[in-house]
Amino acid sequence: MNTENASDKMEEEIKFYSETGKYGEFSNFAFFPIRLKNRTWNTTEHFYQAQKFENEAYQEKIRKAESPMKGAELGRSRKERILKNWDDKKDNVMFEALRAKFTQHPELGQMLRDTGNAKIIEHTENDAYWGDGGDGKGKNKLGKILMKVREELREKPNL
């Protein structure tokens, strides 16, 4: 049996987490401003966290947060009321943010396309929904959405 061909066909995995690490550009904390809803957001994290809330003043507070971490902290606050159907919307909001990021920054779109057919994984113990939970058992929703954006960029390169 020729093992070279078998190994060539194995699917590569790309794991990322920190915006300062390898493939850190894929992180929602990476500083790549996006333009959505007639405003500029410093990171996809800022946009995502703000969309949880009905209160426009609070959304604006998150948008102006000095860092994505501060935006995330504000987004985790339960002092402001979260949209009733947020759990039903959050994946689509993340897709909207990532599509904007990878289409508004062509170099990022190319970087994403260049990942080929690799499985993209947000590797972190801190999150079993958006990431892999650190043990591979998480849902890896962020990685899956990045792969969906990658597929869309391949199908519609002029996005």
Side-chain angles (χ1 to χ4, degrees):
M1 179 178 163
N2 185 344
T3 56
E4 276 184 48
N5 289 341
S7 66
D8 288 345
K9 293 181 182 180
M10 284 178 55
E11 191 172 272
E12 182 187 350
E13 288 185 345
I14 291 173
K15 294 183 177 182
F16 74 95
Y17 180 63
S18 168
E19 69 275 16
T20 59
K22 189 165 185 179
Y23 289 99
E25 295 88 346
F26 293 177
S27 167
N28 286 324
F29 281 38
F31 187 79
F32 290 96
I34 58 171
R35 182 98 180 130
L36 281 171
K37 299 194 177 195
N38 296 316
R39 295 189 220 157
T40 299
W41 307 84
N42 285 332
T43 66
T44 51
E45 188 70 19
H46 284 83
F47 175 79
Y48 174 81
Q49 294 296 341
Q51 301 316 300
K52 293 178 180 180
F53 304 96
E54 292 176 3
N55 182 334
E56 287 187 26
Y58 197 70
Q59 285 183 352
E60 188 65 8
K61 183 175 182 177
I62 293 172
R63 188 181 77 80
K64 291 182 174 179
E66 62 194 38
S67 69
M69 180 58 80
K70 184 65 178 166
E73 288 169 7
L74 291 168
R76 291 184 189 112
S77 169
R78 294 303 170 255
K79 292 176 183 172
E80 290 292 327
R81 193 164 64 176
I82 287 185
L83 296 172
K84 279 183 277 192
N85 56 352
W86 176 246
D87 280 343
D88 297 331
K89 289 183 170 188
K90 64 185 180 182
D91 288 8
N92 288 331
V93 170
M94 185 64 76
F95 177 76
E96 181 183 15
L98 292 175
R99 176 199 262 165
K101 177 178 176 178
F102 287 91
T103 58
Q104 293 174 19
H105 297 277
E107 71 283 9
L108 292 182
Q110 188 59 54
M111 181 182 196
L112 186 59
R113 281 192 295 278
D114 288 347
T115 62
N117 293 318
K119 183 176 182 180
I120 300 173
I121 300 166
E122 184 184 36
H123 182 58
T124 176
E125 294 176 3
N126 300 331
D127 196 331
Y129 184 80
W130 294 112
D132 69 354
D135 60 4
K137 294 179 182 174
K139 293 184 178 183
N140 188 38
K141 290 286 191 166
L142 186 61
K144 289 175 181 174
I145 292 172
L146 284 166
M147 291 183 284
K148 185 177 172 184
V149 170
R150 176 179 67 193
E151 192 58 37
E152 191 174 272
L153 288 172
R154 284 186 185 144
E155 291 172 4
K156 304 172 192 167
N158 296 327
L159 266 180

